[in-house]
Amino acid sequence: MQQNPDRIRLSEQPFRSLSPAVQRASTVVFDSLADFARRKERQPDGFSYGITGTPIARELESRVAALEGGGHCIVTPSGASALFLTIMGFVRGGDHLLVSASCYGSLKTFATKWLAEFGVDVELFAPESGAEIEAMLRPNTRMICLEAPGTVTMEMADIPAVVEVARRRGVLTMMDNTWASPLAFRPLDVGVDFSIEAATKYFGGHSDLLAGTVSMRDFAHYATLRETQSILGQQTSPDDCFLILRGLETFKLRFEAQAASALRVASWLNAHPAVDEVLFPALPGSRGHAIWQRDFRGHGCLLSIVLQPAPEAAFEAFFDTLRMFVIGASWGGVHSLAAYYPAPLQRDRAFPLTDRAIVRLSIGLEDCDALIADLDTALQAFDRTRA
Ligand SMILES: *Cc1c(COP(=O)(O)O)cnc(C)c1O
């Protein structure tokens, strides 16, 4: 076949995809020995080895930083690693660390088991704390770890009041903001130093990846955390960064639709006789609602319920009757999930909210009437087994 001599060679044709390029790399290539020798000078933003990041990680970080209203962001391989990274960057043996008693479980375990053994003085505080936290501060208090609403039990802290005290006393603050996401609350706007999201949840949105983000305004903090990230080997796969960027394209729509359904489900559950309490600060009349209303401009799709006292078999009947809700941990994806937190877990906690089992529901994008019908059937099974 005759070749057209004027035809542009394929490799010389311009090509621009609408989607971001995924460049995989452990090795980053340098043009000269001089460039290689100076590679550390490229930090905190540049590329020198896979562990310091790839272009798509930087693209994701700048998107999240913009959402959070911060100048800088670091993407990490999980939400848990984002929490640990932030502590490892700034907390040392001999420091005093304050951790909310209802913060994410593995952060609490990391603090009370690992950090305490490394000589950090770890102290849990009441999840609904505000300005009274000042009485707990010591000269060596380094950081306060916040989460609102709290994991599983959904207590609301008075974040602005805690931050006011912390800033005045020179203590760093970090907040796990996964429930609200930056669409409903921006911790950096009220002066929190580090805003942390489990990107596993809303940003990814499809229950198929793990990632986390730490966002901040202070450049020196950012440089410290970038170094900490590479020393600890906490880089995120470029393919996962791609999936999160794709998730972010529909994030706002998913967030709003799932939030609207979650509020409907919460109101319906609140009126159901088998339900003792709905833990969902966006619900009028619920615990923490006043603070939520004052500080947040939206809410997540995750809610907890305390059912009427019942034997274990009634909970089994409830869960095993569910058809649309899938039984599983995590949340924030397009599929609705149900998870169970047994009573001993609550009872053994510092500052317990209840000594009963908690059922946690993540509301997805399914038809809301069908989700409510599913819960209705499961609660009937619960009641039959309870009676
Ligand atoms: C899921 C979750 C985390 C941990 O995220 P992973 O990516 O699963 O490690 C941290 N905080 C909150 C509030 C979460 O819901």
Side-chain angles (χ1 to χ4, degrees):
M1 203 177 108
Q2 195 78 30
Q3 287 272 334
N4 176 357
D6 294 331
R7 207 176 93 175
I8 307 171
R9 283 173 50 209
L10 274 180
S11 61
E12 289 166 7
Q13 272 183 28
F15 176 81
R16 280 168 59 228
S17 170
L18 186 54
S19 69
V22 178
Q23 291 173 278
R24 303 185 58 89
S26 54
T27 298
V28 172
V29 177
F30 295 82
D31 288 337
S32 67
L33 178 60
D35 261 359
F36 182 71
R38 285 200 306 268
R39 67 192 182 281
K40 288 251 157 45
E41 292 169 19
R42 297 177 170 196
Q43 294 310 309
D45 281 324
F47 311 109
S48 53
Y49 184 62
I51 208 71
T52 62
T54 58
I56 198 165
R58 293 293 177 274
E59 187 165 335
L60 173 58
E61 287 166 347
S62 69
R63 285 279 296 277
V64 174
L67 274 171
E68 297 268 6
H72 314 287
C73 173
I74 288 180
V75 60
T76 67
S78 69
S81 70
L83 295 164
F84 306 155
L85 178 76
T86 307
I87 292 179
M88 294 302 270
F90 299 96
V91 178
R92 295 292 177 267
D95 287 342
H96 176 228
L97 179 71
L98 283 168
V99 179
S100 165
S102 70
C103 74
Y104 186 66
S106 63
L107 171 61
K108 240 170 25 182
T109 308
F110 176 66
T112 55
K113 291 226 171 89
W114 275 262
L115 292 176
E117 300 220 336
F118 289 137
V120 178
D121 200 342
V122 176
E123 194 176 0
L124 299 179
F125 64 90
E128 286 165 328
S129 291
E132 71 274 19
I133 202 163
E134 184 154 20
M136 300 183 80
L137 298 188
R138 304 179 198 163
N140 62 338
T141 306
R142 181 65 172 141
M143 186 182 275
I144 303 174
C145 300
L146 296 156
E147 184 180 335
T151 283
V152 182
T153 39
M154 299 280 177
E155 298 95 335
M156 284 299 295
D158 187 338
I159 301 291
V162 172
V163 168
E164 189 281 320
V165 169
R167 293 193 88 82
R168 184 158 42 74
R169 300 281 299 267
V171 175
L172 294 170
T173 48
M174 63 112 110
M175 177 174 173
D176 185 331
N177 189 48
T178 307
W179 182 82
S181 94
L183 295 182
F185 185 67
R186 298 210 310 189
L188 304 181
D189 285 352
V190 302
V192 171
D193 293 297
F194 306 100
S195 175
I196 292 166
E197 315 285 343
T200 304
K201 311 294 164 56
Y202 273 127
F203 291 179
H206 296 77
S207 312
D208 53 8
L209 60 87
L210 293 162
T213 59
V214 187
S215 300
M216 70 224 93
R217 291 192 173 155
D218 185 282
F219 180 79
H221 287 165
Y222 169 60
T224 298
L225 283 189
R226 180 69 75 200
E227 185 192 30
T228 310
Q229 166 181 58
S230 77
I231 298 295
L232 295 181
Q234 301 279 304
Q235 195 42 254
T236 310
S237 149
D239 294 295
D240 284 344
C241 292
F242 175 88
L243 287 174
I244 301 163
L245 280 166
R246 179 151 79 179
L248 284 175
E249 300 286 344
T250 55
F251 170 41
K252 189 163 182 286
L253 288 175
R254 285 185 284 110
F255 184 87
E256 286 167 0
Q258 291 176 238
S261 286
L263 189 58
R264 267 194 67 202
V265 169
S267 311
W268 182 84
L269 286 167
N270 200 39
H272 197 288
V275 178
D276 199 21
E277 185 172 0
V278 177
L279 306 173
F280 189 60
L283 183 70
S286 69
R287 215 185 279 259
H289 181 68
I291 287 185
W292 171 81
Q293 197 165 38
R294 186 195 65 186
D295 295 342
F296 287 41
R297 54 174 187 270
H299 58 83
C301 65
L302 184 71
L303 58 112
S304 291
I305 50 177
V306 182
L307 293 173
Q308 296 296 348
E312 192 76 11
F315 287 91
E316 274 173 27
F318 173 81
F319 276 89
D320 296 347
T321 303
L322 289 171
R323 286 295 167 266
M324 298 202 64
F325 284 84
V326 176
I327 303 171
S330 202
W331 62 276
V334 298
H335 298 288
S336 293
L337 303 178
Y340 178 63
Y341 298 86
L345 224 78
Q346 324 304 328
R347 221 175 1 250
D348 296 347
R349 257 185 44 177
F351 312 101
L353 176 132
T354 172
D355 60 0
R356 307 239 296 273
I358 288 181
V359 173
R360 193 172 80 164
L361 302 174
S362 175
I363 308 303
L365 282 181
E366 303 92 341
D367 178 67
C368 190
D369 292 323
L371 289 175
I372 288 174
D374 197 32
L375 289 171
D376 196 19
T377 312
L379 285 173
Q380 284 169 29
F382 176 83
D383 270 334
R384 271 197 308 275
T385 318
R386 185 162 72 99

